Amino acid sequence: MESVEVESGSFEEPTNERARALLDAAEELLEELGMEALTARAVAERAGVAKGLVFYYFGSTHELFERVLERYYARHKASLAEAFAGEGDHRERLHRVVDEYLDFMEENVTYARIVQHQIASEGPHLPLVRRHLREVLELTREMLRGITPSRGPRSAEHFHVSLSAVVINYFTYGPVLLDDALEDRPLGERRAHVHWVVDSWLDGLERHR
Amino acid sequence: MESVEVESGSFEEPTNERARALLDAAEELLEELGMEALTARAVAERAGVAKGLVFYYFGSTHELFERVLERYYARHKASLAEAFAGEGDHRERLHRVVDEYLDFMEENVTYARIVQHQIASEGPHLPLVRRHLREVLELTREMLRGITPSRGPRSAEHFHVSLSAVVINYFTYGPVLLDDALEDRPLGERRAHVHWVVDSWLDGLERHR
DNA sequence: TTTCCATTTGACCACTCGGTCAACATCCTG
DNA sequence: CAGGATGTTGACCGAGTGGTCAAATGGAAA
């Protein structure tokens, strides 16, 4: 046997023990030292294994990185699915999605960083990022159906970009502007802010009808 | 004589012809090929000059990059200064700032990319980026004085992060989600969206008073 | 003309990277 | 036990990087 299978679409944890160790090591390095530290040598050393195994199981560092990305995405999608389930009018549902989105980001700041990094640098993983971002856009589109016009400046696409911007950028720009942005109290304050923002939009949309 | 002087704070175009050629070449490479392409060799070749001159005039590629960044920042500040000047109530002024901000981004998408890249990757130029971003925050803070509470979820800091997120992210995330995001018609639509968003916030703030 | 020094060059160095591969280890099966 | 398949190693390679520096250049002053 050789190399971990990659079925486009869903993500599956590697059954192989070593492959999994490498994947875990890669994710840890990403969390602790950032994207530049993710070299074949470093990952292998972290996993306590020879460098050659990275290529034996994943073929290239590119592929390894994509697997890590897909793992994050799987979690993100699971998180969103949870939020989209359940009842309530659209205002309630939207607030629930926002809460879930914020919860996820609080526990996966690195994910936000990676995505923003790839997008900003038009990195080699942009195609993968694009595919997943479009999936998420589709979910938002569905949720906002009937609330927003189907085209124009108040379309779902624009609100999707704006909402995800307001959520994500706090976790990347926040720590640059504020010293304690990622501590409990400021995070709670931000959460209140985002909910307020969403309400102001919904109010505006209703009034505009 | 040697190496271009760097006074922290303001930016001055290098008087020396070669230094300026290198700086221009660096900026062009950044625009055309992205950040990874910015190597000492590439810049020198582009400027039609030997590699050694990069280090003769700038000391290191790091310094060269910072000079390019500072040049962008100088333009950004000039653009903002223009927007902040002039009269009108706060709603008018805010809309004028938004327009200026969007104008600037339309013509400096690369700038948005660089900043977001540095922030997302906690790159080596983060200290410089931080210094300038905080300056801009200070301007926003001043403009919103009296409109927003001084603390809490509706403070100027939160609106600053949200507004800049809504503006900037369209230029980075937009092209990933939409195929024609940076063409004239979609850009105009986005502009209308941002103005609508600002109005919804101002309405919300007034109603909440 | 001679001298001097800022300027300019590009070969060179040390280093790190991704990736290859022959050799070796381990294990399962006939 | 024998032997082939599977898994594992790390020395090695080529490419590309930032940075150094002795040597060449050239213009201005004496």
Side-chain angles (χ1 to χ4, degrees), chain A residues 46-181:
Chain A
R46 177 73 158 226
V49 127
K51 180 165 71 85
L53 273 200
V54 169
F55 304 94
Y56 183 75
Y57 283 115
F58 296 94
S60 67
T61 51
H62 178 89
E63 295 279 342
L64 171 59
F65 193 97
E66 300 240 316
R67 300 302 305 254
V68 177
L69 260 186
E70 283 181 351
R71 205 193 232 183
Y72 276 115
Y73 273 118
R75 291 184 202 138
H76 190 196
K77 275 178 74 173
S79 152
L80 284 180
E82 190 173 337
F84 277 87
E87 298 303 315
D89 62 12
H90 54 255
R91 199 175 281 255
E92 286 175 48
R93 291 180 64 207
L94 195 46
H95 281 292
R96 196 168 55 233
V97 166
V98 165
D99 271 323
E100 189 65 37
Y101 206 168
L102 286 165
D103 286 342
F104 180 76
M105 283 301 162
E106 285 185 21
E107 291 169 7
N108 295 278
V109 187
T110 303
Y111 166 82
R113 276 198 217 290
I114 296 172
V115 171
Q116 207 149 94
H117 181 274
Q118 287 299 314
I119 288 175
S121 67
E122 299 195 285
H125 305 281
L126 197 65
L128 183 63
V129 171
R130 162 177 284 123
R131 209 180 320 144
H132 283 99
L133 282 192
R134 292 200 174 184
E135 275 186 44
V136 178
L137 167 62
E138 211 48 52
L139 288 176
T140 312
R141 216 182 239 141
E142 215 167 300
M143 187 180 59
L144 294 180
R145 191 185 308 276
I147 306 180
T148 61
S150 60
R151 275 180 298 177
R154 286 186 303 285
S155 67
E157 284 81 0
H158 283 293
F159 280 108
H160 173 80
V161 171
S162 295
L163 179 57
S164 64
V166 167
V167 172
I168 292 180
N169 278 34
Y170 179 77
F171 292 91
T172 50
Y173 284 70
V176 175
L177 292 172
L178 284 30
D179 291 321
D180 57 353

Side-chain angles (χ1 to χ4, degrees), chain B residues 39-41 51 55 61:
Chain B
T39 69
R41 275 173 183 81
K51 180 167 71 88
F55 303 95
T61 51

Side-chain angles (χ1 to χ4, degrees), chain B:
Chain B
M1 202 204 295
E2 192 182 326
S3 107
V4 177
E5 290 296 321
V6 181
E7 302 131 28
S8 83
S10 65
F11 169 81
E12 293 173 10
E13 286 291 325
T15 55
N16 185 291
E17 187 188 344
R18 304 282 204 163
R20 176 151 188 162
L22 284 167
L23 211 54
D24 290 341
E27 189 176 326
E28 287 170 26
L29 278 175
L30 222 48
E31 298 276 342
E32 294 171 23
L33 301 174
M35 325 229 324
E36 286 74 16
L38 206 66
T39 69
R41 275 173 183 81
V43 172
E45 185 183 8
R46 175 73 157 227
V49 126
K51 180 167 71 88
L53 275 200
V54 170
F55 303 95
Y56 183 76
Y57 282 115
F58 296 94
S60 66
T61 51
H62 178 88
E63 295 278 343
L64 171 59
F65 193 95
E66 300 240 316
R67 300 303 304 252
V68 178
L69 259 185
E70 283 181 351
R71 206 195 232 180
Y72 276 116
Y73 272 118
R75 292 185 202 137
H76 190 195
K77 274 178 75 173
S79 153
L80 283 180
E82 190 174 336
F84 277 88
E87 299 303 316
D89 61 13
H90 55 254
R91 200 176 280 254
E92 286 176 48
R93 292 180 65 208
L94 195 46
H95 281 293
R96 196 166 56 234
V97 167
V98 165
D99 270 324
E100 189 65 35
Y101 206 170
L102 286 165
D103 286 343
F104 181 77
M105 283 301 162
E106 285 186 21
E107 291 169 6
N108 296 277
V109 186
T110 304
Y111 166 82
R113 276 197 217 290
I114 297 172
V115 172
Q116 207 150 94
H117 181 274
Q118 287 298 316
I119 288 175
S121 66
E122 300 196 283
H125 305 281
L126 196 66
L128 182 64
V129 171
R130 161 176 285 123
R131 209 182 319 144
H132 283 99
L133 282 194
R134 291 199 175 187
E135 275 186 43
V136 178
L137 167 61
E138 211 47 53
L139 288 176
T140 312
R141 216 182 238 142
E142 215 167 299
M143 186 181 61
L144 294 181
R145 192 184 307 274
I147 306 178
T148 60
S150 61
R151 275 180 298 175
R154 287 186 302 285
S155 67
E157 284 80 1
H158 283 293
F159 280 109
H160 173 80
V161 171
S162 295
L163 180 57
S164 65
V166 167
V167 171
I168 292 179
N169 278 35
Y170 180 77
F171 292 90
T172 49
Y173 284 69
V176 175
L177 291 171
L178 285 32
D179 291 320
D180 57 353
L182 299 187
E183 280 162 35
D184 282 354
R185 235 169 39 86
L187 277 174
E189 205 174 283
R190 183 66 190 178
R191 189 175 291 255
H193 172 82
V194 178
H195 282 294
W196 187 92
V197 161
V198 167
D199 273 328
S200 82
W201 288 346
L202 290 173
D203 290 346
L205 281 167
E206 280 174 10
R207 198 168 321 115
H208 205 282
R209 188 166 297 268

Side-chain angles (χ1 to χ4, degrees), chain A residues 170 178-187:
Chain A
Y170 179 77
L178 284 30
D179 291 321
D180 57 353
L182 299 188
E183 280 162 34
D184 281 354
R185 237 168 39 86
L187 278 174

